Structures are given as C-alpha cells and as structure tokens.
Amino acid sequence: QVQLVESGGGLVQPGGSLRLSCVASGSIFSAAVMGWYRQAPGKQRELVARITSGGSTVYADSVKGRFTISRDNAKNTLYLQMNSLKPEDTAVYYCNSWTLSANYWGQGTQVTVSS
C-alpha cells in the first residue's frame, strides 16, 4: 500500500508562485510514473504534469513554461513549482503514483489564485 501526502497549497495572488510537495510512503516511488492532476469545481480532473522514473516530463499546454515538475527519489518526494499563477489555475491539486500494477492518489491540496 502506498500513501501520498500533498502539501504546499494555499491562497496566492495572480502572478504569484507556490510549490507543491507530495511525499510517498512505500518502496515503489523510484519506479513509478508520478504526476500532478487538478480538478476545478464543476470540471473533470485533468493532467497538469507527469514525470517518469527516468526524468522525462509531460506538461499540459495550459501550464507549459510556468510550471515545473521534479522528483527526489532519495526523499520519495514529488514537487510542482508553479509560477505566474492565474485565476484559472484555481483547483484542488492531486498527486498520483502509477505503475503497471497499481495506481494511487493523494487526498489533494487546494490552490486558490485570487486578488
């Protein structure tokens, strides 16, 4: 069983920055594809960014150039650096861990971008 615990969300003004973290329990972290997803009220959950065990990354078009995903396998921690935040980035952000045999989600952390 893997547990994912997100932190770092909060209220920020447009143009501001936040850094999300996700700490994973268990021994599969280094082998898993890790991702950040988000869900805004009334909308479906969508991929924000993901990173493979080898460090290859994929970003949603809406966040390219503003967000950076990274991982520290020694610390079992996934990060999402979010810069130039916009009101449309407001959502609950979820950490995800995926392997061929298992798929896990964190409980989510709220990010609100508002003046």
Side-chain angles (χ1 to χ4, degrees):
Q1 186 72 16
V2 171
Q3 287 189 324
L4 304 173
V5 180
E6 302 101 332
S7 62
L11 173 64
V12 63
Q13 293 187 342
S17 297
L18 282 175
R19 188 194 197 201
L20 305 184
S21 298
C22 170
V23 179
S25 66
S27 60
I28 70 167
F29 180 87
S30 62
V33 177
M34 299 297 299
W36 288 100
Y37 290 74
R38 68 186 180 187
Q39 188 167 18
K43 295 187 176 181
Q44 289 187 333
R45 190 173 298 189
E46 63 177 2
L47 174 69
V48 176
R50 65 172 181 259
I51 183 168
T52 68
S53 57
S56 296
T57 58
V58 171
Y59 294 92
D61 287 344
S62 59
V63 307
K64 282 180 182 177
R66 300 188 298 123
F67 291 10
T68 302
I69 190 171
S70 61
R71 65 192 294 165
D72 186 336
N73 290 338
K75 296 182 179 180
N76 277 15
T77 303
L78 178 73
Y79 303 100
L80 185 68
Q81 178 66 44
M82 305 187 293
N83 298 328
S84 303
L85 282 161
K86 304 176 181 179
E88 50 264 43
D89 295 318
T90 295
V92 178
Y93 284 70
Y94 297 91
C95 176
N96 175 262
S97 170
W98 181 88
T99 65
L100 287 174
S101 58
N103 189 35
Y104 297 100
W105 293 93
Q107 83 287 351
T109 185
Q110 176 70 47
V111 171
T112 302
V113 185
S114 174
S115 56

